[in-house]
Amino acid sequence: IAFGDIDIDEIDAAAIRTFMANNRAEKVSNSVRRRAYGAFSSIMGHAVTLGYLDANPAKRFELPAADVSRERYLSKAELHTLWSACASTLPFRRMIRFMIAQPVRLSIARNLTWNSIDLDERTLAVSAEAQGNKAREAFTLPLSDHAIEVLEALPGERSGLVFVGRNGGRVSVSGSAKSLLDRDCCLIN
């Protein structure tokens, strides 16, 4: 068995140290390095199980530190600018307005259906199976006044997807749609 150009039994602590140093020098993020190292360690562990190695050389090394999570929130001025730039009937922009008014993930908003919304009770139900529901537990959110306004202004029947794209499917979140929105935000300022 070989790993790239190196036979697996030739991989030692020095080769792993070189691999890790090269990743640091190339400014590979800690999270990517952690995943790569974890996969590599698993492969080495499997090689031990199969009898190709006596010991896992990767076990001698500590995982790189986890990346510091960066949290970025829009200021009130930025939110106002984005809200104003989304004053359009384009489905992508209506969906962004909804997401400003209602704290849901993009994948939840894109896949949102009318049967999960109760306008009378002013609630949004997210199933455990909903794409984007990382907790994998069903939950219900109260809809904000602004979210209700966005939903009530949507054209069409109240069935199927809430935010319908041009082709009748999910709203496109392409780079070009975001670029146009970025441009319009700059024009407002």
Side-chain angles (χ1 to χ4, degrees):
I1 293 179
F3 194 76
D5 295 337
I6 304 172
D7 284 342
I8 205 159
D9 59 352
E10 294 176 12
I11 297 174
D12 59 8
I16 295 170
R17 238 186 319 280
T18 300
F19 172 76
M20 294 173 79
N22 289 342
N23 282 328
R24 275 192 304 275
E26 292 173 13
K27 305 254 191 265
V28 175
S29 72
N30 283 358
S31 61
V32 171
R33 289 178 28 225
R34 286 173 67 87
R35 285 193 302 270
Y37 178 78
F40 181 73
S41 183
S42 292
I43 292 168
M44 295 292 106
H46 191 60
V48 170
T49 302
L50 295 175
Y52 291 107
L53 296 174
D54 293 328
N56 182 346
K59 288 286 186 190
R60 299 181 194 175
F61 297 91
E62 291 185 30
L63 286 171
D67 285 330
V68 176
S69 127
R70 67 178 190 132
E71 291 188 19
R72 164 87 165 82
Y73 300 98
L74 297 177
S75 68
K76 285 184 180 183
E78 290 170 322
L79 280 171
H80 178 73
T81 298
L82 183 57
W83 185 266
S84 297
C86 288
S88 161
T89 60
L90 294 172
F92 174 75
R93 294 184 183 209
R94 289 180 180 206
M95 186 176 70
I96 297 298
R97 264 197 169 192
F98 178 78
M99 291 171 58
I100 293 170
Q102 195 65 40
V104 295
R105 296 181 181 279
L106 174 63
S107 53
I108 289 176
R110 280 190 77 219
N111 294 290
L112 194 60
T113 59
W114 282 107
N115 65 1
S116 63
I117 293 177
D118 186 335
L119 290 173
D120 294 331
E121 293 293 321
R122 302 174 61 88
T123 59
L124 162 64
V126 178
S127 70
E129 301 80 31
Q131 187 175 354
N133 183 351
K134 290 188 174 184
R136 292 288 172 222
E137 292 182 17
F139 61 91
T140 301
L141 294 172
L143 289 168
S144 71
D145 292 340
H146 289 304
I148 295 284
E149 287 173 24
V150 171
L151 293 170
E152 288 179 340
L154 292 173
E157 296 183 28
R158 302 284 192 247
S159 64
L161 290 169
V162 173
F163 301 101
V164 181
R166 290 184 186 164
N167 63 358
R170 288 175 182 77
V171 171
S172 171
V173 289
S174 68
S176 60
K178 185 186 176 307
S179 294
L180 289 172
L181 183 58
D182 288 344
R183 181 205 66 194
D184 290 351
C185 284
C186 289
L187 291 174
I188 289 172
N189 284 332

